[in-house]
Amino acid sequence: MRASLFLALVLCANFFYWGCCKEGEEKTLAKFPPRGWNSYDSFSWIIDEEAFLQNAEILAQKLLPHGYEYAVIDFLWYRKNVDGAYVDSYGYDSIDEWGRPIPDPDRWPSSRGGKGFTEVAKKVHEMGLKFGIHLMRGISTKAVDANAPILDVHKGGVYSEDGRNWTARDIGLTHRTCGWMQHGFMSVNTDLGAGKAFLRSLYHLYTEWGVDFVKLDCVFGDDYDSKEISSVSQMLEELDRPVVLSISPGTRVTPSMAETIYKYVNMYRITADDWDTWSDVASHFNISRDFASVKKIGAEGLRGRSWPDLDMLPLGWLTDPGVQQGPHRKCYLTLDEQKTQMTLWSIAKSPLMFGGDLRNLDGTTLSLISNPTLLEINSYSSNNLEFPHLYTTEKHLGKKNHIFF
Ligand SMILES: *[C@@H]1O[C@H](CO)[C@@H](O)[C@H](O)[C@H]1NC(C)=O
Ligand SMILES: *[C@@H]1O[C@H](CO)[C@@H](O)[C@H](O)[C@H]1NC(C)=O
């Protein structure tokens, strides 16, 4: 009975939300909190094509049936994995003639010959999954130093306006570098036509490759750049291909900060990076409560809905923050702590992005992240709020009782 009612609800939802996002159609992007896998917690920045596709294969087999559909490559996929390269190093990144980051050809061999992630995206799509990449704010320092010309995707060739050709130095805001990667990236001036043209050229290239999901970093929280968020959102809305927009990081995010951006995105981090310590898990309770109470869970978003994001789930087989090393250790949380984390993420209706190396996925972790009750709560529960403990008296129930919600 319960199963058939559940099925009826699913069918009903599909009936009303089928189809996607063209003008005049129902807005459906991220109609539930998105789920998937992200490479950061297990590979830091060094993942390569072989390891990524192996993980995607297992994602498709074991987790896609539970709604985990996005396979996402996290940061610095354009950087050479060699001695001397690290998170804020300079000079190891690949860019194309228009100043756009392209995959490091040694780590992503199928990208050679100007193909970018086309082949990887194709394989991911053949597995039934959707494909995501991480991007940093604005433009790379390398593109500005090279003074790369700006591509006009509408006309083809160099962007010209007011009788001149525009280049990276015209749009890069050198005083607004990314706080946590100062040698890597800076904001672009989105008040200029050329600044907008550059962002448009990025998203045109990436959606041509087949990207379905963008995690745009260094634009939120401490690195807040509302103009870039709204400009990118506008670019994405213009495209034929629907792209989920996820923004981060979430250090010191408040509901009032979210107020100005939630309609432009599909998910936004509301906490700093979450790793596998109890204090990290514990720090997510109050902020979840605060966002629930201002009704931001499942609010309007880019071409659909938006979701406050508690960050990836660092469970299973992991690496350490910011290192140049792949998966090599087990999650430090106890099983009770892991269950608490998965339960909080589910009732807060956070996106669920698994972070562990799927090639070493153990049965306990798999059953935790695929728990059917939690996943149903994560997708279908509504008006979730924090309740204080309620105490009743003997008079009411005939015996002393505590009811905990
Ligand atoms: C702009 O670039 C185009 C193509 O490279 C070139 O033909 C043209 O002369 C340039 N215009 C100016 C004003 O420099
Ligand atoms: C969470 O909020 C409660 C109630 O406002 C407060 O007493 C508690 O100190 C907060 N916890 C943290 C970790 O900030």
Side-chain angles (χ1 to χ4, degrees), residues 278-336:
W278 174 247
S279 62
D280 274 12
V281 177
S283 70
H284 289 71
F285 281 87
N286 282 1
I287 189 89
S288 302
R289 169 198 64 197
D290 295 345
F291 274 81
S293 66
V294 294
K295 307 254 182 277
K296 284 292 170 284
I297 298 176
E300 185 187 345
L302 169 66
R303 290 176 153 182
R305 293 179 189 260
S306 62
W307 307 93
D309 175 14
L310 300 183
D311 202 9
M312 280 92 73
L313 295 162
L315 309 174
W317 195 243
L318 303 170
T319 188
D320 296 306
V323 296
Q324 191 174 355
Q325 189 183 4
H328 59 274
R329 66 168 181 91
K330 277 174 76 168
C331 172
Y332 295 139
L333 297 173
T334 66
L335 185 56
D336 279 345

Side-chain angles (χ1 to χ4, degrees), residues 121-174:
K122 188 162 163 266
K123 287 187 179 152
V124 166
H125 290 150
E126 281 165 4
M127 296 173 197
L129 298 167
K130 293 185 168 140
F131 178 57
I133 58 172
H134 176 286
L135 294 174
M136 292 293 294
R137 74 156 56 170
I139 189 165
S140 69
T141 311
K142 183 163 182 183
V144 172
D145 288 350
N147 204 21
I150 309 293
L151 172 65
D152 183 336
V153 292
H154 293 320
K155 289 192 292 186
V158 191
Y159 181 86
S160 63
E161 191 186 327
D162 292 338
R164 54 170 289 221
N165 292 334
W166 293 70
T167 61
R169 279 191 205 138
D170 298 322
I171 62 161
L173 298 174
T174 48

